[in-house]
Amino acid sequence: MINKKYMNYIKKELKKEKSIMIKYLPSEEEKEYLKNFNIKTEIKIIKQKCLFSDIFYDTEYCIYYLD
């Protein structure tokens, strides 16, 4: 099922910026939907430090950009 809220947000923000990076990871159906608007996706893993200790953990972000 396509999450219209995020898809509309992504399309709107890409008109302002060349690319955006958010934690929301799209499903395969959403990726196909975005291809109709020439929007590409790329998964990027970023190391973050925990606020309360010295432990680092990996977080997946998705980069959306216009083709």
Side-chain angles (χ1 to χ4, degrees):
M1 187 164 103
I2 297 176
N3 189 334
K4 295 284 187 181
K5 178 183 173 185
Y6 276 107
M7 297 302 109
N8 289 333
Y9 170 76
I10 290 166
K11 289 189 296 187
K12 184 178 82 174
E13 289 298 312
L14 283 176
K15 289 179 183 176
K16 298 176 192 175
E17 304 288 327
K18 292 187 180 201
S19 67
I20 58 172
M21 182 170 32
I22 56 177
K23 280 189 179 182
Y24 181 77
L25 301 176
S27 66
E28 290 300 318
E29 186 180 9
E30 290 171 336
K31 287 179 184 179
E32 292 298 320
Y33 176 77
L34 290 172
K35 283 183 184 178
N36 295 333
F37 300 100
N38 293 328
I39 298 173
K40 300 279 184 165
T41 60
E42 180 182 323
I43 304 296
K44 183 165 186 164
I45 297 176
I46 297 177
K47 282 197 175 284
Q48 293 184 330
K49 184 178 178 185
C50 183
L51 294 174
F52 304 112
S53 66
D54 291 334
I55 298 172
F56 287 89
Y57 60 95
D58 294 336
T59 306
E60 288 184 333
Y61 282 90
C62 188
I63 301 172
Y64 300 87
Y65 55 93
L66 290 171
D67 188 26

